[in-house]
Amino acid sequence: MALCWFLLSFLFHSLYAHSDFFTSIGQMTDLLYTEKDLVTSLKEYIRQEENRLEQVKEWADKLDSLTITATQDPEGFLGHPVNAFKLMKRLNSEWADLESLVLKDTTNGFISNLTVQRQFFPTDEDQTGAAKALLRLQDTYQLSANTISNGDLPGVVHKSRMTVADCFELGKIAYSEADYYHTELWMAQALTQLDEGEESTIDKVSVMDYLNYAIYQQGELERALELTKRMLKLDPNHQRANGNLKYFEFQLEKQRKAEAEKKEQEDKKREKKVLDKRDSQRNRSKDPLPERKKYSCHVLKRATVHDPITGKLTTAHYRVSKIAWLFGYEHSTIEKINQRIEDITGLEMDTAEELQVANYGVGGQYEPHFDFGRKDEPDAFKELGTGNRIATWLFYMSDVSAGGATVFPDVGAAVWPKKGTAVFWYNLFASGEGDYSTRHAACPVLVGNKWVSNKWIHERGQEFRRPCEMSENE
């Protein structure tokens, strides 16, 4: 328990100034307490506003009955000198007092608190990052938009449903990335929830507008045309829909003509092929040469594409975790952990990298990678001066409700996070050559909070603990 608190405080201390909240569940917990504090301030603001409005209401009620009486006989009312005096007094000073009351800031810190806290709020990048994480989880675990929207995820404790506005926002973010596949999925989900009667400030026509474009961009003209007609039933004067109607009808007619011409050409080719085959059969019966001498065989090579699994890895445009390095001299528990790893593995820890702790964010993952430096990376760990990464030790510091497995695609193995367990493997053969079967990845966290820590052990100092072998694959 002491170690957990130490890791938490260390990680937060080193990363709190950062704004990419979506990359760490641990850091996002701070936002919950920030929001709780703001809600408390807001409730106090509402209480004070209600008191102020009650005073304004009393003033309004009093003047309402007075002005009704006065305007029934203005001259007679003002003929009374007291009434004339009080009118002057009200308009000269009492209305000014009322103005001050209405404009008075009685928040006692709410506005200032909100202003201060806003500098620590998530940014557009955080919102987009969280949205992309949802889309990544949807694809990875093959979840329907309806399943996610209903909150029907495995291992969920705090079930949360998505509103029409939530689905609409997710679709818009996909649209801004020109991701029309996910735009369609989430705009269709928003439309379904509207059709089912969910109340929302988002109207059907707005949803259909995005959905229509996404469907069109995916080449489905007939569906786009049908949706356009539905839009025009709701809003006959929708300018873009009216323009799309004519355009889609024109394109579909053009497409039908092209398909008809293509079919006609194919029919002609088929008929010619039949005739050519008939002629060939007639000529073959007259040809004295064996048929096999009339042709030659060729070995065709299959078309190749860049394989992201076996090819070079590219850097992702999103970050999915936060890390911190823990040094042995900072806490006795870290020294004990290092010693325990050394006792179990029999490897020297003095030349190993410091213990790294990581907390995964929304949909947090690591793309497939190798821990060791490959031959095309001769300077990967040059600055450390301790050689290549000979082995990896990985601690699981939390249970994960769903997802988050460490997978080794080349050997077909998967290790599921279980608090208090660890996994160890050698990255290098005894010859010093890299073991490419150790390529691994961290699956996205579907539900839960994933904490891990790892120790990368290097070659230097292992000469007598793991002697080099002559056999390459020893």
Side-chain angles (χ1 to χ4, degrees):
M1 179 62 73
L3 174 61
C4 289
W5 282 112
F6 172 72
L7 295 179
L8 283 169
S9 61
F10 187 94
L11 183 59
F12 292 155
H13 173 74
S14 57
L15 297 173
Y16 188 77
H18 180 274
S19 63
D20 291 335
F21 290 100
F22 77 94
T23 61
S24 168
I25 294 292
Q27 196 174 3
M28 274 190 282
T29 58
D30 283 0
L31 295 178
L32 291 177
Y33 292 103
T34 297
E35 190 170 47
K36 184 177 184 296
D37 178 56
L38 288 174
V39 169
T40 301
S41 297
L42 180 60
K43 289 175 70 175
E44 176 61 20
Y45 165 77
I46 292 171
R47 186 188 66 79
Q48 295 183 19
E49 284 296 296
E50 287 175 341
N51 290 338
R52 180 165 60 177
L53 287 174
E54 187 60 34
Q55 296 178 53
V56 175
K57 183 176 180 298
E58 291 177 2
W59 172 264
D61 289 342
K62 181 179 69 174
L63 287 189
D64 186 40
S65 59
L66 177 63
T67 54
I68 289 175
T69 301
T71 54
Q72 287 177 351
D73 180 14
E75 292 185 2
F77 180 82
L78 291 174
H80 195 303
V82 173
N83 288 338
F85 166 74
K86 294 181 70 172
L87 176 62
M88 296 300 105
K89 178 176 177 291
R90 283 197 304 275
L91 292 174
N92 182 54
S93 58
E94 293 183 17
W95 275 101
D97 293 340
L98 179 65
E99 181 182 23
S100 297
L101 178 63
V102 171
L103 297 179
K104 182 181 178 183
D105 180 9
T106 60
T107 59
N108 286 336
F110 171 66
I111 297 299
S112 59
N113 189 21
L114 180 61
T115 301
V116 170
Q117 295 291 358
R118 277 191 65 82
Q119 63 183 313
F120 301 112
F121 279 12
T123 63
D124 289 342
E125 181 185 358
D126 283 298
Q127 183 173 337
T128 299
K132 288 182 178 179
L134 268 180
L135 301 181
R136 189 164 63 247
L137 290 172
Q138 181 177 14
D139 292 344
T140 302
Y141 296 106
Q142 299 179 1
L143 303 171
S144 68
N146 186 61
T147 296
I148 297 176
S149 182
N150 287 331
D152 296 328
L153 303 178
V156 164
V157 176
H158 305 286
K159 185 174 180 178
S160 180
R161 292 177 58 89
M162 294 179 69
T163 64
V164 168
D166 293 333
C167 297
F168 184 70
E169 182 63 26
L170 199 53
K172 283 204 304 180
I173 289 175
Y175 173 84
S176 68
E177 298 286 324
D179 178 1
Y180 301 116
Y181 168 72
H182 286 108
T183 301
E184 178 188 350
L185 292 181
W186 285 99
M187 289 302 173
Q189 180 63 30
L191 186 58
T192 296
Q193 290 179 208
L194 285 172
D195 288 340
E196 291 173 349
E198 181 179 326
E199 294 185 2
S200 176
T201 56
I202 309 297
D203 62 277
K204 289 185 179 182
V205 172
S206 297
V207 175
M208 289 180 183
D209 205 6
Y210 281 97
L211 179 58
N212 197 11
Y213 188 74
I215 291 173
Y216 161 70
Q217 284 291 337
Q218 295 177 88
E220 299 186 54
L221 282 174
E222 289 189 9
R223 285 183 61 208
L225 178 60
E226 290 304 312
L227 188 61
T228 300
K229 291 178 179 178
R230 185 181 170 189
M231 281 180 66
L232 289 172
K233 286 183 180 179
L234 296 175
D235 185 0
N237 298 319
H238 196 284
Q239 186 176 357
R240 186 161 40 250
N242 277 295
N244 287 344
L245 180 67
K246 296 176 183 178
Y247 176 75
F248 292 154
E249 287 176 339
F250 170 77
Q251 289 295 330
L252 275 172
E253 183 60 29
K254 184 179 177 181
Q255 190 179 81
R256 291 189 187 103
K257 287 181 179 179
E259 289 174 353
E261 291 176 0
K262 182 179 179 182
K263 185 177 183 303
E264 184 179 352
Q265 291 175 357
E266 288 176 349
D267 289 343
K268 288 181 179 179
K269 287 181 180 180
R270 194 177 297 110
E271 183 179 351
K272 184 177 184 300
K273 188 175 181 180
V274 171
L275 293 174
D276 290 345
K277 185 177 181 180
R278 187 183 305 163
D279 293 340
S280 177
Q281 288 172 342
R282 287 174 181 171
N283 293 331
R284 187 182 304 155
S285 62
K286 302 174 184 178
D287 192 344
L289 293 176
E291 185 180 17
R292 63 185 176 184
K293 292 183 180 180
K294 303 287 284 189
Y295 65 90
S296 60
C297 295
H298 299 274
V299 178
L300 301 178
K301 292 185 178 179
R302 180 175 296 177
T304 58
V305 296
H306 173 73
D307 185 355
I309 295 178
T310 57
K312 293 183 178 180
L313 296 175
T314 57
T315 303
H317 293 294
Y318 45 82
R319 294 179 295 276
V320 291
S321 68
K322 289 278 177 61
I323 64 169
W325 298 93
L326 306 181
F327 297 83
Y329 64 80
E330 292 176 323
H331 199 280
S332 60
T333 303
I334 306 302
E335 290 184 352
K336 291 178 182 177
I337 290 174
N338 291 336
Q339 186 61 52
R340 182 170 296 181
I341 296 174
E342 180 171 329
D343 293 341
I344 294 174
T345 64
L347 297 175
E348 176 63 60
M349 291 297 111
D350 287 346
T351 55
E353 293 176 49
E354 304 302 336
L355 191 69
Q356 179 185 246
V357 60
N359 180 230
Y360 288 75
V362 181
Q365 68 173 15
Y366 274 140
E367 296 290 347
H369 63 283
F370 301 99
D371 283 351
F372 63 90
R374 296 174 297 289
K375 289 182 178 180
D376 59 348
E377 303 170 317
D379 298 330
F381 308 109
K382 185 178 180 180
E383 72 280 1
L384 297 179
T386 53
N388 210 342
R389 287 173 175 170
I390 193 173
T392 297
W393 181 284
L394 177 65
F395 282 112
Y396 295 109
M397 301 168 62
S398 65
D399 294 319
V400 177
S401 301
T406 304
V407 294
F408 296 80
D410 293 345
V411 297
V415 184
W416 299 93
K418 182 175 175 59
K419 185 177 180 179
T421 64
V423 59
F424 170 79
W425 67 88
Y426 280 103
N427 296 306
L428 307 178
F429 290 114
S431 64
E433 294 295 319
D435 183 354
Y436 283 80
S437 68
T438 62
R439 187 168 178 272
H440 59 286
C443 291
V445 177
L446 180 58
V447 176
N449 189 6
K450 183 180 178 182
W451 285 88
V452 298
S453 58
N454 60 275
K455 192 78 171 176
W456 282 308
I457 306 169
H458 283 248
E459 292 177 291
R460 297 290 185 270
Q462 318 303 340
E463 293 83 359
F464 299 104
R465 300 194 179 208
R466 196 199 191 207
C468 180
E469 300 288 343
M470 296 301 295
S471 173
E472 182 176 345
N473 296 324
E474 182 70 29

